[in-house]
Amino acid sequence: MNTRHIYIITLLALSWQGCMPTIESMPYQGNDLFSLDDLEVIAGQSTLPIIDQRSNDLTYLLSGIQGIATLESIDSTLLLPKSLRYKAGVYQVYAIHENTIIDQINLTIKANEPHGQILTYLGPKTTAFEDSPGTMLTSIVTDTFNNMIDLPIDFTYTFLGKRGVGKQQERHDHEYFTAKLFPPYNNDKVLVGINGPNHLYSSELPLEGSSGCATAARVDIPLYYPLADGRQQFVVEVNAITDREGFEVAEGTLLSIIIAGNQSVEKYESLVTNGSAVFAIENPKLSGTYTLSVYSCGNVIVAAKPLTFEQVTTSLQYDWISKDKLRIGPVTNNLNQSLPNGSPVEVSLPNCSKYSLPPISLYDGFATLNLNDIYTRCEITMLSVTVGERTLMINAKKPL
Amino acid sequence: MKRLLAWTALFATLILFTIVGARIVGHYTSGADRTDLFQESLNSDFDYHPTVGWRNNDLYTRYKSSSLALEQRIIEAFYWLNNSIETKQSLKLRDYYDVDQYAIIDSLLKHQTIDLERAYLSYNLELKHMSLDKSVAVVKCHTADVVERIIDQDDKGPVNFYSTEFSLIMVVIDGKWKIKNWITEDTWQTQPTQHNRDISRKLALIPEVVGINYYPKDSPWHLFWDSLNIDTIKQDFNLINELGFNTIRIFLSYSDFKSGSAFERNLPKFQLILDIAQEHRLKVIPTLFDFPGGYRLADYVEYDRQLKQLMTDCSNHPGLLAWNLKNEPDLDFAYHGEQATMDWLTFVLTRAKAYDTLHPITVSWSDKSYLNCLSKEVDYLSFHLYKDFANWETTINQLARETGKHVLLEEFGTSTRAGLSNLLGRSESRQHKEIKDIVMTCEANSIPFMVWTLYDFKTIPNGVFGWKPWVKAKQKNFGIVREDGTHKPATAIFEK
């Protein structure tokens, strides 16, 4: 009786049976003939010997990380289910009698010999030859049933590039995988393939070197609404990003976009992924014409056509909140939304033009104008208030 | 026609009310578990936090944020796998497993004829490989602690504890880490560990207990932790001390100590209570997992984590006397099933002994006839006495002899709002007499005891004692101190 069996009995002893006088434990009464020790089979084997011969009335279960299956018994063998017999790993086989586990073993399904195509992952696909650790090739060897294998395996790496064919041998001795680092290839495209014993092979993998700086690209702006509301966003895609040699730049290269108008400059950053960089740009708040330039390593590599944004003011209202305080607003656009915070409100005094008022701007669609000071210096009759392209003339004569 | 429609509508409404009413009554009369109405389990899909440890190697240090992203995906992948095994629904798994692995799982699920409940309690992980572009990773799980039970036609088998070791190849597919391949390398039964426990010093104090169950008068049960007022606690502990008690029992409800913000919010409060109790020379018996969230194996993850956090953070506090892991579990039998409840108790008892080796551990039965249950596993026996008073001490003495363990009468008391004596104005004298009788019996038989409770309560939160107003009303007046702070005659029994 091994430790596992002792544990099962301990478990039953720990369980609740016997607490209540109405519940009685139902220990297994079969003859204690023999039970097998742990078993080991090769992936693909379809049967196991019966693990416990004390009774013909036992249920056998195979439990693994993936799930649980009932084992069918035929004569003196147990049939492994198709879905698991090919999957290497350690499983538990339970013999159950009247809902009680009476025996349990570990079953190890071992992987077969390494076989077929090696699973390979190469990344980054393109590597910058300036300040870059290179490209890493992760390889995983499996058997014919896709089971991972942790045996030492001798690999041959074959390279095909401008300088011809080269070979390198290395031992795959990690657990389940090997990782090989390739230095950056200077402006070159090299194909690499792996071979191993038992006709192990991989697909050909391209290693490309590139400068870490882009010098050319194409800018695409699929759609934007020319509304200077500071709320909309539009997408800028930068494609065909190449270095000075005409090679695609490395994955992860940093690009910037600067969108500049007369009164504002905004900067956005994005990394090159799958050969493109995508930016989500916020519409400017103020009307005007904006330039959009793409930068790499501090240099402009491409500029889009100038973009024009307009603040569309469709409603401009006001009310007096006291004798000398004027509240301007709500100021809304053609979608009946408040104009963005910070939108300038231009106020001029037609009959007191030598005086000026401090600059004010909208907040939540409103701005407040205090006329107390100006009333003491000039006899105002009218105020001109302009937001966007809309202007209001307001009678502002000082009340008596 | 209109009249017929009206009658039909009225009839349908009556049926609806009857069904809903029956459900409400059923809910509130279902023992000590009072989870939210119509909520099957407190666990939501993402409210799942097994304990995870990482081996601190160079790779982990370099790729810490990626490791944490992997960790979350592994936790979720196994949560959904176990959920699929239980429900035989595999749709969610496509998000976590590569097509080949998904096909194996899916095929197994389609042929699964036996039900299995399984949960991973903890993972001890090592990052073995991370590719330069962070798209391929190899993770080894050195130990995952697993709880599992086989269910054959609604008949739940015993809970099996085991540990497993496996390796995972994970790759980024469609921007998410998915399990590309895996292999289980070993599986072994988790042997019941014999921990070096040294509980003798605290256990020796159990026979000395003259205690009281405590909630503040304005914030009993669910209101306790959120409304905790330090000045009130200090005043009340002072009063408890003056009344002659040396021990208090408090309740840590499951939801108030759930991992995350609730735990972080309430742990310092609990520690402060222990500090104040220590200042007032009072020992504390905290009762954990009050109003639990159910006994599914998936729920064990949160219980285990809560237990470990509480015991790890508080087991060195001198104010702590013992842990009670569950109040009146026998009342859960009807609602959660006897086996599921006992399996859970066995689990928390085993884990608690590993997390705190200095303090005695118990569970308290509402009925003394259950005291034999788990009597070998608990360090002292504990029960409540509200009925069957005839010769109760004989049973207790016999049990103490048979088991060789102390037996604590953890709750007893009398409401001063009960029956005819209330109407005749004799309820407080009746309370005095009944409590005195029990105290005298305890003293004559060297049985330690704790009274229910210090105060009368102004309100009883909904969901604690069901919907019956007369039951709630009775529960308000078990205190030996009135709501206004004046003493009932029963306090004289204890005053030095």
Side-chain angles (χ1 to χ4, degrees):
Chain A
M1 192 175 277
N2 61 29
T3 51
R4 223 175 353 265
H5 301 133
I6 293 168
Y7 181 69
I8 293 163
I9 290 162
T10 314
L11 257 183
L12 293 175
L14 282 176
S15 77
W16 52 275
Q17 292 180 0
C19 267
M20 295 291 293
T22 50
I23 297 168
E24 289 176 14
S25 63
M26 296 287 286
Y28 177 62
Q29 298 296 321
N31 295 320
D32 189 9
L33 294 175
F34 73 95
S35 56
L36 295 176
D37 286 331
D38 291 348
L39 284 174
E40 200 172 281
V41 297
I42 299 291
Q45 185 173 318
S46 58
T47 57
L48 292 178
I50 291 275
I51 67 161
D52 191 304
Q53 299 190 352
R54 284 179 283 182
S55 167
N56 293 326
D57 189 25
L58 298 179
T59 304
Y60 293 96
L61 299 176
L62 180 67
S63 174
I65 201 167
Q66 300 89 345
I68 192 163
T70 310
L71 297 180
E72 202 182 321
S73 63
I74 299 173
D75 299 329
S76 58
T77 57
L78 298 172
L79 203 58
L80 284 166
K82 277 186 184 166
S83 45
L84 282 186
R85 73 174 65 143
Y86 304 110
K87 183 68 188 157
V90 178
Y91 298 83
Q92 291 166 296
V93 182
Y94 300 112
I96 294 182
H97 178 77
E98 292 180 359
N99 202 29
T100 302
I101 299 169
I102 60 159
D103 211 342
Q104 178 181 359
I105 61 158
N106 271 6
L107 168 70
T108 304
I109 300 181
K110 293 195 72 172
N112 282 266
E113 291 294 308
H115 181 84
Q117 188 168 353
I118 301 165
L119 205 57
T120 49
Y121 295 93
L122 184 76
K125 306 277 186 238
T126 311
T127 178
F129 54 75
E130 291 158 5
D131 301 325
S132 163
T135 296
M136 183 177 275
L137 178 61
T138 305
S139 315
I140 294 151
V141 178
T142 57
D143 68 1
T144 188
F145 302 123
N146 195 28
N147 291 310
M148 300 189 296
I149 290 169
D150 63 349
L151 297 170
I153 296 168
D154 292 320
F155 275 168
T156 304
Y157 294 92
T158 308
F159 304 91
L160 176 64
K162 278 180 189 168
R163 279 168 268 172
V165 177
K167 283 186 189 293
Q168 225 180 73
Q169 291 208 320
E170 222 167 83
R171 173 153 278 217
H172 171 294
D173 57 1
H174 288 85
E175 286 173 282
Y176 306 119
F177 73 97
T178 188
K180 185 167 173 57
L181 197 63
F182 295 103
Y185 284 81
N186 195 353
N187 294 354
D188 198 358
K189 183 170 181 174
V190 174
L191 285 178
V192 62
I194 315 172
N195 293 91
N198 239 9
H199 309 293
L200 285 172
Y201 69 97
S202 74
S203 52
E204 297 83 13
L205 302 151
L207 309 176
E208 287 184 33
S210 163
S211 159
C213 294
T215 56
R218 188 183 76 240
V219 179
D220 297 313
I221 303 175
L223 184 66
Y224 81 101
Y225 295 99
L227 197 60
D229 64 353
R231 281 190 288 266
Q232 311 289 322
Q233 283 192 334
F234 62 101
V235 170
V236 177
E237 293 173 2
V238 183
N239 296 305
I241 312 160
T242 51
D243 66 6
R244 63 176 180 265
E245 307 291 338
F247 289 99
E248 283 189 8
V249 293
E251 294 286 289
T253 299
L254 180 71
L255 296 186
S256 316
I257 278 184
I258 291 180
I259 179 164
N262 284 336
Q263 298 174 66
S264 70
V265 177
E266 296 289 339
K267 186 180 177 187
Y268 295 83
E269 291 185 335
S270 178
L271 299 175
V272 175
T273 312
N274 294 327
S276 300
V278 180
F279 297 79
I281 310 278
E282 204 168 73
N283 283 20
K285 289 178 180 173
L286 306 177
S287 297
T289 301
Y290 290 80
T291 60
L292 190 150
S293 311
V294 182
Y295 285 73
S296 175
C297 302
N299 299 313
V300 178
I301 59 167
V302 66
K305 284 181 186 171
L307 305 172
T308 303
F309 294 88
E310 284 184 16
Q311 222 171 37
V312 183
T313 312
T314 55
S315 171
L316 174 57
Q317 298 172 38
Y318 72 95
D319 62 330
W320 291 94
I321 50 179
S322 68
K323 285 180 180 175
D324 51 9
K325 270 191 189 157
L326 179 68
R327 188 172 68 162
I328 297 155
V331 186
T332 54
N333 64 16
N334 50 357
L335 296 173
N336 205 27
Q337 305 296 305
S338 296
L339 259 61
N341 292 346
S343 297
V345 179
E346 291 169 28
V347 183
S348 60
L349 311 164
N351 65 319
C352 296
S353 53
K354 60 179 180 179
Y355 298 103
S356 63
L357 290 163
I360 57 169
S361 55
L362 293 178
Y363 184 81
D364 282 348
F366 289 91
T368 305
L369 188 62
N370 193 338
L371 296 169
N372 187 28
D373 183 45
I374 202 78
Y375 277 147
T376 60
R377 289 186 278 157
C378 180
E379 200 168 310
I380 308 168
T381 54
M382 295 294 282
L383 277 176
S384 164
V385 176
T386 305
V387 183
E389 75 285 5
R390 189 163 280 253
T391 300
L392 269 182
M393 296 302 289
I394 300 169
N395 182 355
K397 202 170 178 180
K398 186 181 179 183
L400 294 172
Chain B
M1 186 63 185
K2 274 183 184 171
R3 183 171 289 181
L4 180 66
L5 279 173
W7 276 109
T8 309
L10 180 65
F11 187 61
T13 311
L14 278 172
I15 288 174
L16 184 68
F17 273 113
T18 308
I19 291 168
V20 173
R23 181 101 194 240
I24 291 168
V25 171
H27 171 80
Y28 281 122
T29 54
S30 58
D33 182 273
R34 292 111 184 166
T35 52
D36 291 344
L37 191 57
F38 302 132
Q39 195 179 340
E40 295 300 329
S41 166
L42 289 180
N43 265 6
S44 69
D45 290 341
F46 300 103
D47 191 9
Y48 190 73
H49 310 283
T51 309
V52 181
W54 281 91
R55 296 209 172 171
N56 203 8
N57 59 16
D58 287 348
L59 269 178
Y60 176 70
T61 310
R62 203 181 321 156
Y63 295 108
K64 200 162 184 180
S65 63
S66 298
S67 301
L68 297 178
L70 280 166
E71 173 185 315
Q72 191 56 34
R73 292 293 288 176
I74 292 169
I75 288 171
E76 288 178 23
F78 282 98
Y79 172 80
W80 285 113
L81 174 61
N82 293 333
N83 185 278
S84 297
I85 291 169
E86 204 177 326
T87 60
K88 302 191 181 88
Q89 298 286 326
S90 66
L91 277 179
K92 193 84 184 172
L93 299 182
R94 289 179 189 277
D95 204 29
Y96 294 95
Y97 297 86
D98 170 65
V99 281
D100 292 341
Q101 303 307 319
Y102 174 79
I104 293 171
I105 299 166
D106 192 49
S107 167
L108 260 178
L109 288 175
K110 282 180 180 141
H111 296 99
Q112 189 180 317
T113 54
I114 200 147
D115 292 332
L116 182 74
E117 224 189 317
R118 179 191 283 166
Y120 286 72
L121 300 173
S122 62
Y123 299 88
N124 176 7
L125 303 174
E126 182 182 1
L127 184 62
K128 303 284 279 187
H129 172 64
M130 177 66 79
S131 68
L132 264 187
D133 62 345
K134 295 187 248 182
S135 67
V136 187
V138 181
V139 180
K140 184 177 176 79
C141 178
H142 290 276
T143 313
D145 287 336
V146 188
V147 281
E148 178 180 291
R149 75 175 143 218
I150 293 160
I151 303 164
D152 189 9
Q153 294 169 345
D154 295 333
D155 203 358
K156 288 181 176 173
V159 175
N160 193 10
F161 298 82
Y162 64 92
S163 301
T164 185
E165 178 185 355
F166 55 87
S167 287
L168 305 168
I169 306 282
M170 301 194 67
V171 296
V172 174
I173 301 170
D174 300 333
K176 292 174 184 170
W177 286 108
K178 291 190 181 185
I179 295 174
K180 172 73 185 168
N181 213 329
W182 59 5
I183 187 162
T184 313
E185 291 146 321
D186 200 4
T187 294
W188 63 96
Q189 294 295 332
T190 314
Q191 302 294 333
T193 314
Q194 298 301 319
H195 300 281
N196 293 325
R197 301 182 75 216
D198 182 18
I199 59 167
S200 53
R201 204 168 58 83
K202 296 284 184 175
L203 192 61
L205 298 174
I206 296 293
E208 313 296 325
V209 168
V210 176
I212 191 152
N213 289 270
Y214 173 68
Y215 276 125
K217 63 181 174 195
D218 295 323
S219 52
W221 287 281
H222 302 321
L223 309 173
F224 181 59
W225 292 99
D226 279 347
S227 320
L228 195 80
N229 181 304
I230 297 307
D231 291 335
T232 306
I233 298 288
K234 283 181 177 172
Q235 285 165 18
D236 289 348
F237 284 9
N238 203 36
L239 172 64
I240 289 169
N241 200 282
E242 282 173 8
L243 287 175
F245 296 105
N246 59 25
T247 306
I248 58 159
R249 176 174 176 239
I250 58 169
F251 296 82
L252 279 62
S253 73
Y254 170 70
S255 56
D256 282 323
F257 283 83
K258 269 192 120 174
S259 305
S261 59
F263 186 86
E264 282 158 23
R265 194 171 59 245
N266 290 324
L267 176 70
K269 295 180 188 174
F270 174 51
Q271 287 169 326
L272 200 57
I273 289 175
L274 291 175
D275 290 344
I276 298 169
Q278 173 73 3
E279 285 167 20
H280 288 79
R281 297 179 306 284
L282 293 170
K283 295 289 178 198
V284 182
I285 301 177
T287 297
L288 309 188
F289 304 126
D290 211 20
F291 305 99
Y295 298 139
R296 289 169 63 237
L297 293 188
D299 299 327
Y300 281 31
V301 174
E302 174 56 32
Y303 292 120
D304 189 42
R305 195 178 164 100
Q306 195 175 125
L307 194 64
K308 186 177 184 179
Q309 286 182 313
L310 267 172
M311 290 188 154
T312 309
D313 289 341
C314 303
S315 63
N316 286 323
H317 200 289
L320 190 66
L321 175 60
W323 298 98
N324 179 341
L325 299 186
K326 184 71 184 77
N327 181 52
E328 302 183 339
D330 45 316
L331 296 187
D332 287 5
F333 290 168
Y335 192 62
H336 293 294
E338 194 164 344
Q339 170 111 38
T341 307
M342 296 304 291
D343 283 345
W344 178 82
L345 286 171
T346 308
F347 169 75
V348 287
L349 278 163
T350 310
R351 303 295 272 196
K353 285 178 184 173
Y355 298 143
D356 183 348
T357 56
L358 300 174
H359 294 90
I361 288 158
T362 193
V363 296
S364 52
W365 303 100
S366 82
D367 185 328
K368 60 183 180 299
S369 65
Y370 289 94
L371 271 168
N372 254 327
C373 292
L374 299 170
S375 61
K376 286 181 186 158
E377 282 68 43
V378 296
D379 295 314
Y380 67 92
L381 313 183
S382 183
F383 74 108
H384 300 170
L385 186 65
Y386 293 102
K387 59 180 183 179
D388 302 332
F389 296 101
N391 298 322
W392 63 270
E393 70 278 14
T394 313
T395 314
I396 300 308
N397 287 335
Q398 190 184 338
L399 261 169
R401 273 197 306 278
E402 283 171 7
T403 60
K405 293 187 177 179
H406 304 305
V407 186
L408 171 66
L409 171 53
E410 197 192 50
E411 273 188 34
F412 70 101
T414 302
S415 175
T416 51
R417 190 175 191 161
L420 196 60
S421 56
N422 185 35
L423 293 173
L424 298 174
R426 294 203 314 256
S427 56
E428 291 191 354
S429 56
R430 186 171 145 262
Q431 182 196 49
H432 175 263
K433 183 187 178 308
E434 288 183 4
I435 291 180
K436 190 173 182 183
D437 285 350
I438 291 179
V439 168
M440 286 174 68
T441 309
C442 285
E443 285 172 350
N445 291 275
S446 302
I447 298 169
F449 61 86
M450 305 186 86
V451 181
W452 183 272
T453 177
L454 180 64
Y455 281 117
D456 280 351
F457 303 123
K458 198 171 187 176
T459 52
I460 304 276
N462 288 332
V464 178
F465 290 104
W467 62 277
K468 298 170 186 166
W470 57 92
V471 175
K472 281 178 81 170
K474 183 180 172 184
Q475 289 296 334
K476 286 181 184 175
N477 295 92
F478 270 86
I480 57 170
V481 177
R482 298 181 198 99
E483 242 185 89
D484 61 6
T486 54
H487 295 194
K488 294 183 188 176
T491 53
I493 303 166
F494 309 101
E495 276 167 330
K496 291 168 188 168

